[in-house]
Amino acid sequence: MFWPTHSRWGWDWDPWAELRRLQRDFTRLFEGVERGAPVDFPAVNVWTGPDDVIVTAEVPGIEPKNLDVSVQGDTLTIRGNREPDKIKDGESYHRQERGYGQFVRTLTLPHQVDSDKVEAKYEKGVLRLRLPRAASDKPRQIAVTTG
Amino acid sequence: MTVNRSTELEKRPAASPAEIERTRQASAVAPSADIYEKADALVVVADMPGVDEKSVDIRVERNVLTIEGRVAQEKHEGYRLAYSEYAPYDYHRAFTLSNEIDPSRIEATIKHGVLRLTLPKAKAAIPRKIDVKMG
């Protein structure tokens, strides 16, 4: 049906990705739902309805203006950049588990989207998108007449 | 560069509060965290998407710092969850603090689902430079 066609983990090397994946595999079991590769950032959930699709993504710590959402046809792209805290000379990291850098996530949706009517909200680090189905993509009822 | 390891938050999970059974039925995951050390404080930065200042709970008890965050279930009437990479699980994580942290002055802020804790070092733990005078 529709899955992320490709995605790119922009940060250089993430030694925690494997651990996170394991952690999620053990703890995040969702019954009867297709599960994706959890190492992709941001993690997304997709709800489908008759006239639109709702996509939520966990993208904590980003200013909304640095979040770039674009839709073309049936393809949704979420881009952004996550900056680490600037540390000064003499300061040091004890642990660094969060990822930084550029990220791009592309999803193929089950239908064409009316890009003018897309709603996007960013709240508590969660991006919520409502993507209405394009009128041209909606199924048409064909009236059957007797000849 | 010298790093004062004595103030490092230890990596083992905290024994006592972490093992106490949770009252909420929802499962919990450990939020990813960065920890860095400044001259006078430790800073903990944790990713907790879905959590704001009303749904986060931070406690210090017997040198154990506990972070908890509650995430609301997402419901969309008439929709089907067709594809899922994350579940709306709560967050729970505990760190053992060394004695060099002053628990009474811990400060916390949360913005865009990122929790930031500043753990000031106790006055006695801040290194002092001693001027040497000629005798």
Side-chain angles (χ1 to χ4, degrees):
Chain A
M1 230 176 84
F2 63 101
W3 326 113
T5 44
H6 71 274
S7 63
R8 202 179 70 206
W9 184 263
W11 18 90
D12 297 341
W13 179 63
D14 184 5
W16 299 100
E18 272 300 295
L19 279 175
R20 264 203 304 276
R21 191 181 62 75
L22 272 173
Q23 182 191 39
R24 291 210 191 198
D25 278 355
F26 280 120
T27 56
R28 302 198 157 183
L29 289 168
F30 230 61
E31 278 175 34
V33 170
E34 189 71 37
R35 292 170 61 241
V39 283
D40 290 341
F41 185 91
V44 298
N45 282 348
V46 181
W47 277 265
T48 53
D51 299 318
D52 52 12
V53 162
I54 294 172
V55 176
T56 62
E58 287 189 322
V59 271
I62 293 172
E63 287 299 324
K65 64 173 163 53
N66 294 337
L67 207 49
D68 174 16
V69 178
S70 61
V71 180
Q72 193 176 27
D74 63 352
T75 306
L76 165 69
T77 307
I78 303 169
R79 272 171 222 276
N81 188 18
R82 226 159 82 118
E83 302 274 351
D85 281 16
K86 302 255 185 310
I87 68 165
K88 294 186 209 111
D89 274 354
E91 299 178 356
S92 60
Y93 269 100
H94 289 196
R95 62 168 80 196
Q96 205 164 5
E97 299 168 357
R98 304 165 67 233
Y100 295 110
Q102 305 270 345
F103 60 85
V104 182
R105 189 81 207 264
T106 305
L107 300 179
T108 303
L109 302 167
H111 55 64
Q112 301 284 314
V113 172
D114 185 346
S115 54
D116 293 337
K117 291 185 183 148
V118 173
E119 292 166 32
K121 247 200 323 197
Y122 183 69
E123 228 180 15
K124 303 183 209 172
V126 179
L127 176 69
R128 274 188 190 76
L129 301 169
R130 183 183 294 272
L131 305 136
R133 190 169 191 160
S136 59
D137 195 57
K138 282 183 184 161
R140 260 175 305 170
Q141 194 80 37
I142 312 293
V144 179
T145 53
T146 49
Chain B
M1 193 179 73
T2 54
V3 175
N4 185 1
R5 289 286 164 199
S6 60
T7 56
E8 186 173 15
L9 297 184
E10 290 171 29
K11 279 181 182 163
R12 66 191 161 85
S16 63
E19 282 173 9
I20 289 171
E21 210 166 333
R22 294 160 46 78
T23 54
R24 270 166 66 88
Q25 208 176 0
S27 309
V29 292
S32 300
D34 289 349
I35 299 173
Y36 59 90
E37 183 172 349
K38 304 212 281 192
D40 56 352
L42 277 181
V43 180
V44 177
V45 185
D47 278 342
M48 300 170 84
V51 175
D52 63 8
E53 66 280 3
K54 289 177 220 108
S55 54
V56 71
D57 191 21
I58 297 148
R59 273 174 325 208
V60 180
E61 205 181 329
R62 278 182 267 122
N63 274 356
V64 175
L65 169 74
T66 309
I67 301 168
E68 269 190 302
R70 293 172 303 281
V71 177
Q73 295 282 329
E74 191 132 353
K75 287 203 178 72
H76 297 288
E77 206 68 48
Y79 289 82
R80 187 177 75 86
L81 180 57
Y83 176 75
S84 176
E85 292 174 350
Y86 70 92
Y89 286 166
D90 290 347
Y91 299 99
H92 181 108
R93 197 155 179 185
F95 296 102
T96 308
L97 301 178
S98 78
N99 292 330
E100 298 180 11
I101 298 297
D102 180 352
S104 64
R105 293 189 295 132
I106 293 176
E107 279 173 34
T109 57
I110 190 160
K111 191 185 177 193
H112 298 326
V114 177
L115 175 72
R116 202 169 292 266
L117 288 172
T118 306
L119 316 174
K121 291 181 190 173
K123 292 268 178 337
I126 298 172
R128 265 166 306 175
K129 191 164 161 48
I130 312 293
D131 287 327
V132 180
K133 289 176 192 145
M134 269 209 295

